[in-house]
Amino acid sequence: MGFEIANPMQMPISFTAMCAMFLFHGGFIDVFLINVLPTLKPPSPMRGWDQEASKEEENKTPTQRRFMAENAAYALLRLAPIFFIKDMGIYCICTISYLLEGLSISWEINCYNGTKDALPPATLMCVFSTWVLLTVKFNGGFLPDFDDSVFTVMCVSVGLTWLCWIASLMGLSKKPDGSKPLATAE
């Protein structure tokens, strides 16, 4: 255990696919789309609910900068398994990061009148965390030190991520058609 860079030639295909997912989600989405794209002109499409209203604002308002920092932290967590490929604790932290993002989305929907546009990312948090959990569980001996207590924490975090998704669905089902987020409500 310790620092060991992922080598697709020496890993099971399930770990190679999971590392590709980490590169896509952590590298492309969390770094490029959310942190690099907003620095380009015209304004980034990743700026919030009301695209027309945000065209008049400069990129990187305080709220946008906090969103960018949050996703940079997620990227760091989600890219870590590429450098610590056989460390089960890193995978546990990844599932917890999916829980935290799922919780944030559910909170936005239920407490701040978030829209149904937040549901696809909430669904991805569930799918990705479940993917990590199943890859670790059925690792075929690739992980030298399988720890049942760490795996239990992973199971709990994945289960809670799904509960956040259910809470998001319930929150969206209570909203009337045409409702607007609190940030844009007049």
Side-chain angles (χ1 to χ4, degrees):
M1 296 217 317
F3 183 76
E4 183 178 344
I5 294 179
N7 180 349
M9 304 309 267
Q10 298 175 347
M11 299 177 347
I13 190 73
S14 60
F15 279 82
T16 302
M18 184 174 59
C19 283
M21 178 267 295
F22 286 136
L23 282 171
F24 176 74
H25 190 214
F28 180 71
I29 293 175
D30 290 336
V31 173
F32 179 74
L33 285 182
I34 294 174
N35 280 283
V36 174
L37 199 58
T39 63
L40 306 174
K41 296 286 182 177
S44 166
M46 303 296 287
R47 297 206 39 218
W49 290 308
D50 189 355
Q51 300 303 316
E52 293 303 315
S54 67
K55 285 181 182 177
E56 297 172 9
E57 299 173 13
E58 286 295 315
N59 277 332
K60 297 190 281 184
T61 61
T63 304
Q64 178 70 10
R65 289 192 307 269
R66 285 189 293 277
F67 179 69
M68 291 166 71
E70 172 189 356
N71 280 277
Y74 289 142
L76 178 65
L77 292 171
R78 293 169 187 160
L79 291 172
I82 294 168
F83 302 104
F84 299 92
I85 192 66
K86 292 187 178 181
D87 190 333
M88 196 170 165
I90 295 291
Y91 295 113
C92 182
I93 290 172
C94 283
T95 60
I96 293 169
S97 82
Y98 291 122
L99 167 61
L100 293 175
E101 191 165 354
L103 183 62
S104 174
I105 293 167
S106 181
W107 183 33
E108 178 182 300
I109 288 171
N110 286 290
C111 297
Y112 295 98
N113 205 22
T115 64
K116 65 181 178 186
D117 294 343
L119 196 56
T123 304
L124 286 177
M125 298 308 107
C126 296
V127 170
F128 291 158
S129 67
T130 303
W131 184 348
V132 173
L133 180 80
L134 294 174
T135 302
V136 167
K137 176 63 178 170
F138 302 107
N139 72 74
F142 182 70
L143 297 177
D145 299 320
F146 188 89
D147 186 335
D148 287 327
S149 62
V150 172
F151 186 72
T152 300
V153 172
M154 291 177 71
C155 289
V156 169
S157 66
V158 171
L160 290 173
T161 305
W162 281 100
L163 284 176
C164 289
W165 183 78
I166 291 168
S168 297
L169 278 178
M170 291 170 50
L172 288 172
S173 71
K174 296 176 185 173
K175 296 191 185 322
D177 287 338
S179 64
K180 293 186 176 191
L182 291 178
T184 61
E186 293 177 17

